[in-house]
């Protein structure tokens, strides 16, 4: 969520930064307390940081509870945002500039519905990247990882050491891989009686 004037009500009385709970998708959490804020709590992303704004009078236990609530809320909002093909191509271009010095140039990037066993694919000769529709609704850092993975294939074919060295530049590589492995593992779990089709 972009920062806006509504998120800046009051001068922060105290600001603390901590590591997030595992799986939250953020690198750090900054809690800003404000004497002007009475009851409302809000949060937004600021790069790799999540900023949570709370009233100054809140106890440490209330702060922890609200940080957890707001992280869940932000994750839910982000998971509902699904970029279209044009947005996906622009995102790939930004990621290439940020992590690969703009060297990985895709001619086309699009969602496809015919990839049920892979998250993405790349045809280096054509410069085309395709992402599975199954990624829609997943956290943005996971989609970014899959885009970077396919962009890296435009520079290095195969999955050798040079390929993985490229992906080391992305700080959420391991977290995104873990998320996708979790999704695959969950799909293999047997369905509980009475839950199928719900």
């Amino acid at each position: 969520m972009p920062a806006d004037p509504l998120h800046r009500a009051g001068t922060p009385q105290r600001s603390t930064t901590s590591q997030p709970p595992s799986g939250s998708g953020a690198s750090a959490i900054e809690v800003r307390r404000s004497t002007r804020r009475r009851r409302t709590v809000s949060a937004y992303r600021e790069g790799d940081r999540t900023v949570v704004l709370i009233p100054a009078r809140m106890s440490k236990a209330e702060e922890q509870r609200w940080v957890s609530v707001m992280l869940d809320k932000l994750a839910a909002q982000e998971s509902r945002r699904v970029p279209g093909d044009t947005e996906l191509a622009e995102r790939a271009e930004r990621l290439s500039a940020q992590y690969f010095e703009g060297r990985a140039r895709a001619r086309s990037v699009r969602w496809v519905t015919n990839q049920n066993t892979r998250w993405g694919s790349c045809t280096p000769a054509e410069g085309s990247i395709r992402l599975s529709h199954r990624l829609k609704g997943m956290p943005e850092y996971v989609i970014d990882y899959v885009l970077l993975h396919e962009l890296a294939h435009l520079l290095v074919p195969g999955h050798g050491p040079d390929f993985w060295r490229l992906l080391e530049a992305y700080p959420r590589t391991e977290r995104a891989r873990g998320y996708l492995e979790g999704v695959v593992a969950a799909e293999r779990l047997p369905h509980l009686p009475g839950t199928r089709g719900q």
Side-chain angles (χ1 to χ4, degrees), residues 5 17 20 41 109 111 130 135 153 164:
T17 303
V41 175
V109 183
W111 294 107
R130 294 158 304 280
L135 288 164
H153 280 307
W164 293 112

Side-chain angles (χ1 to χ4, degrees), residues 177-187:
R177 285 174 57 111
Y179 184 99
L180 293 171
E181 287 169 7
V183 170
V184 170
E187 288 172 353

Side-chain angles (χ1 to χ4, degrees), residues 55-197:
R57 61 178 175 71
M58 247 185 211
S59 70
K60 195 68 179 165
E62 288 174 306
E63 173 185 317
Q64 289 174 344
R65 185 176 71 80
W66 274 106
V67 165
S68 179
V69 166
M70 297 312 287
L71 286 174
D72 290 345
K73 194 171 186 178
L74 282 173
Q77 289 171 346
E78 289 169 352
S79 73
R80 287 192 294 269
R81 288 189 212 126
V82 178
D85 289 351
T86 302
E87 213 178 346
L88 211 53
E90 290 168 357
R91 198 160 163 179
E93 193 174 323
R94 281 194 309 272
L95 289 167
S96 175
Q98 185 175 357
Y99 295 103
F100 302 146
E101 300 170 346
R103 294 179 295 129
R105 295 194 178 124
R107 290 191 194 105
S108 73
V109 183
R110 61 192 173 92
W111 294 107
V112 294
T113 57
N114 63 349
Q115 288 189 18
N116 293 315
T117 59
R118 293 190 286 182
W119 297 113
S121 63
C122 169
T123 307
E126 297 172 6
S128 63
I129 291 174
R130 294 158 304 280
L131 295 192
S132 171
H133 70 286
R134 296 179 307 138
L135 288 164
K136 290 182 178 183
M138 289 189 188
E140 291 184 7
Y141 74 93
V142 175
I143 296 171
D144 286 350
Y145 164 73
V146 177
L147 273 172
L148 280 164
H149 185 106
E150 301 309 331
L151 284 165
H153 280 307
L154 294 176
L155 302 172
V156 179
H159 293 100
D162 291 341
F163 174 85
W164 293 112
R165 257 192 297 282
L166 280 174
L167 285 178
E168 284 174 4
Y170 184 56
R172 295 185 178 178
T173 290
E174 288 308 312
R175 181 177 290 172
R177 285 174 57 111
Y179 184 99
L180 293 171
E181 287 169 7
V183 170
V184 170
E187 288 172 353
R188 291 185 186 139
L189 291 173
H191 293 279
L192 294 173
T195 61
R196 194 178 296 273

